[in-house]
């Protein structure tokens, strides 16, 4: 049985089919709806995780590859059964324009490459999915949004936490007023950065340091956990290793933000400390705490009402299913993950860097 159509036909089949059908769980009912056919650009560490997770997707499928390394194209093609006609390198991927078998390109390259690559993909008429941070700053993000609007394609950012079930439960509780008026958010995101030669510690490729890479989870988190946009930020930088973390590559930044309701946030972004993966949301009637809060999971957390028990699934599987629903079915997610959403984070990152530089409170609205 290959399709939902076959399954429906089977429903009208004689009674002999029934024992087999009754043993089928809903998840096993074959899917033959539309599928988002995706090419991944940049076959590195995170792309590997996304590709594996996509094997469990119904609505999203890896069908193409873009890489500058022929050996990777060969290995990935064999592993994921990718046709040679769907493989490109960084010089020729504009030709995807003429490939009817690819719907979207997922850009998973170093941060500094995102803008130019996204604009090139948009010009091919294919939908753009880009990893976080979507760009190096708000100006670049705006250029990407404009290019995608002009081309009439979606622009989505790899904000996997926007679809994570425990996170969505906390958001549901907040929207239902279960925490009462929100007063405070704390976001601690960081890890000890390894190899000093990696692109993440190269300002030209990363656009900054921990803030661009991991601090963005606290920025994004304070917005979706509090459910408001900040009015101002203040920020302070600490550097213990100026050789490893050169000028323009932040090791640790603490930042604070104020929100329209009067809620405040206090966050830490670091490449110099381990065990930093914790969110705490405090309201007048209750609280939520999550640790780990943004790692690959399983996310763990509790509220004043008890443990969060929503089941874990690979974040990238859920994200890609949701992205397919957004692009193919016009689904509106609870927490958006589009270019405008990414731009909001880039504006806050710009403001945080400005606050570090000037030592002053920077207004956002
Ligand atoms: P990585 O170093 O493992 O992979 C980067 C890939 O880009 C490599 O395959 C590399 O060959 C390729 N590349 C193309 N041009 C390059 C160039 N000029 N210099 C260096 N590499 C080049 O990095 P990664 O961890 O996969 O990160 C890639 C992107 O994914 C980053 O934007 C990062 O922030 C993002 N990311 C997101 C998550 C998440 O949870 N959403 C997790 C990890 C990384």
């Amino acid at each position: 049985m290959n399709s939902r159509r076959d399954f429906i036909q089977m429903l009208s089949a004689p009674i002999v089919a029934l024992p087999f059908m009754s043993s089928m769980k809903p998840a096993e009912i074959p899917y033959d709806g539309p599928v988002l056919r995706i090419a991944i650009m940049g076959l590195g560490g995170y792309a590997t995780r996304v590709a594996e997770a996509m094997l469990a997707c119904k609505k999203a499928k890896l069908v193409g590859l873009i890489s500058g390394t022929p050996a990777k194209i060969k290995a990935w093609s064999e592993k994921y059964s990718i046709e040679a006609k769907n493989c490109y390198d960084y010089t020729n991927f504009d030709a995807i324009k003429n490939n009817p078998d690819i719907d979207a390109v997922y850009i998973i390259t170093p941060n500094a490459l995102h803008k130019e690559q996204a604009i090139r993909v948009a010009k091919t008429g294919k939908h753009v999915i880009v990893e976080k941070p979507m760009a190096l700053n708000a100006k670049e993000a705006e250029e990407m949004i404009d290019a995608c609007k002009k081309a009439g394609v979606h622009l989505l950012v790899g904000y996997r936490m926007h679809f994570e079930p425990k996170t969505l439960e906390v958001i549901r509780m907040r929207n239902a007023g279960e925490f009462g008026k929100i007063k405070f958010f704390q976001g601690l995101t960081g890890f000890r950065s390894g190899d000093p030669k990696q692109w993440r510690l190269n300002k030209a490729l990363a656009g900054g340091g921990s803030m661009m890479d991991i601090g963005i989870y606290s920025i994004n988190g304070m917005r979706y956990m509090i459910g408001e946009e900040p009015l101002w930020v203040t920020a302070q930088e600490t550097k213990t290793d100026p050789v490893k973390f050169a000028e323009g590559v932040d090791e640790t930044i603490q930042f604070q933000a104020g929100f329209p309701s009067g809620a405040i946030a206090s966050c830490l972004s670091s490449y110099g400390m381990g065990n930093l993966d914790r969110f705490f949301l405090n309201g007048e009637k209750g609280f939520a705490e999550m640790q780990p809060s943004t790692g690959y999971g399983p996310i763990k957390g509790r509220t004043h009402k008890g443990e969060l028990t929503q089941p874990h699934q690979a974040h990238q599987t859920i994200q890609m299913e949701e992205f397919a629903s957004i692009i193919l079915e016009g689904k509106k997610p609870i927490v958006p993950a589009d270019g405008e959403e990414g731009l909001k984070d880039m504006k806050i990152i710009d403001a945080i860097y400005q606050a570090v530089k000037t030592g002053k409170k920077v207004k956002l609205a």
Side-chain angles (χ1 to χ4, degrees):
M1 187 169 54
N2 295 319
S3 67
R4 175 170 288 172
R5 224 168 292 115
D6 294 342
F7 180 75
I8 290 165
Q9 272 169 12
M10 196 177 75
L11 288 179
S12 55
I15 202 101
V16 288
L18 284 175
F20 164 61
M21 276 167 48
S22 62
S23 66
M24 285 180 88
K25 297 180 194 120
E28 289 168 355
I29 296 173
Y31 173 79
D32 76 345
V35 171
L36 187 72
R37 299 160 307 166
I38 296 164
I40 290 186
M41 180 184 300
L43 308 181
Y46 192 60
T48 302
R49 189 176 283 274
V50 169
E52 281 299 301
M54 274 173 62
L55 291 173
C57 287
K58 286 184 315 196
K59 297 182 181 179
K61 185 170 169 28
L62 177 63
V63 300
L65 305 170
I66 302 153
S67 168
T69 312
K72 281 194 205 165
I73 295 267
K74 185 171 181 292
W76 280 58
S77 293
E78 283 166 12
K79 184 163 186 196
Y80 296 107
S81 307
I82 310 289
E83 292 181 63
K85 71 171 187 60
N86 289 354
C87 295
Y88 300 84
D89 63 30
Y90 292 104
T91 64
N92 67 12
F93 74 77
D94 310 270
I96 283 187
K97 186 183 169 75
N98 306 315
N99 189 331
D101 298 331
I102 294 174
D103 304 311
V105 176
Y106 193 166
I107 300 168
I108 317 186
T109 55
N111 311 339
L113 310 179
H114 293 177
K115 182 195 88 170
E116 194 223 312
Q117 290 169 340
I119 292 172
R120 274 177 71 187
V121 170
K123 283 184 181 158
T124 70
K126 306 297 179 181
H127 300 294
V128 180
I129 304 172
V130 64
E131 254 319 310
K132 44 60 52 182
M134 71 181 284
L136 298 188
N137 50 50
K139 186 176 168 296
E140 285 196 359
E142 276 163 355
E143 286 178 50
M144 292 159 74
I145 292 169
D146 288 349
C148 290
K149 269 196 190 135
K150 206 169 149 199
V153 297
H154 280 270
L155 171 59
L156 295 171
V157 184
Y159 284 137
R160 60 188 164 75
M161 300 313 297
H162 290 200
F163 310 101
E164 194 282 317
K166 294 188 181 75
T167 304
L168 290 178
E169 171 59 10
V170 172
I171 291 168
R172 185 202 65 72
M173 289 177 70
R174 184 205 65 222
N175 287 339
E178 293 181 31
F179 302 119
K181 187 170 157 41
I182 300 296
K183 304 292 283 185
F184 178 72
F185 171 78
Q186 183 189 44
L188 309 177
T189 44
F191 59 91
R192 289 176 69 85
S193 175
D195 179 10
K197 292 204 172 67
Q198 63 182 299
W199 67 260
R200 281 184 167 77
L201 302 182
N202 174 343
K203 160 97 171 143
L205 282 170
S210 75
M211 183 56 65
M212 299 297 285
D213 190 40
I214 190 77
I216 191 169
Y217 284 98
S218 279
I219 292 173
N220 201 239
M222 73 180 181
R223 293 178 46 245
Y224 65 65
M225 294 288 274
I226 293 178
E228 297 174 39
E229 298 303 325
L231 296 173
W232 55 262
V233 293
T234 48
Q236 309 80 36
E237 182 176 4
T238 316
K239 207 176 283 236
T240 64
D241 186 346
V243 176
K244 185 167 181 180
F245 306 103
E247 182 65 31
V249 180
D250 48 284
E251 178 184 337
T252 297
I253 290 180
Q254 299 179 68
F255 64 93
Q256 304 77 36
F259 293 79
S261 65
I264 48 170
S266 171
C267 302
L268 185 64
S269 162
S270 183
Y271 266 165
M273 299 177 212
N275 309 309
L276 285 183
D277 188 357
R278 181 180 153 80
F279 280 2
F280 176 66
L281 183 72
N282 201 16
E284 281 181 347
K285 291 203 259 174
F287 69 88
E289 60 181 1
M290 308 174 90
Q291 184 171 1
S293 56
T294 64
Y296 297 135
I299 301 301
K300 288 197 180 128
R302 67 186 183 110
T303 72
H304 58 293
K305 294 194 166 163
E307 293 291 313
L308 292 164
T309 55
Q310 289 66 29
H312 171 74
Q313 193 183 9
H315 298 170
Q316 296 79 10
T317 304
I318 309 179
Q319 175 197 287
M320 296 314 291
E321 286 288 272
E322 289 292 312
F323 280 2
S325 296
I326 291 168
I327 292 174
L328 300 172
E329 297 157 15
K331 183 172 177 182
K332 300 269 175 260
I334 294 163
V335 187
D338 54 18
E340 302 288 347
E341 184 73 17
L343 172 62
K344 288 177 185 164
D345 288 337
M346 295 317 304
K347 283 184 176 166
I348 298 171
I349 291 183
D350 286 355
I352 287 172
Y353 281 138
Q354 198 188 335
V356 164
K357 209 161 151 185
T358 61
K360 294 198 171 127
K361 183 187 259 191
V362 176
K363 289 197 173 149
L364 284 150

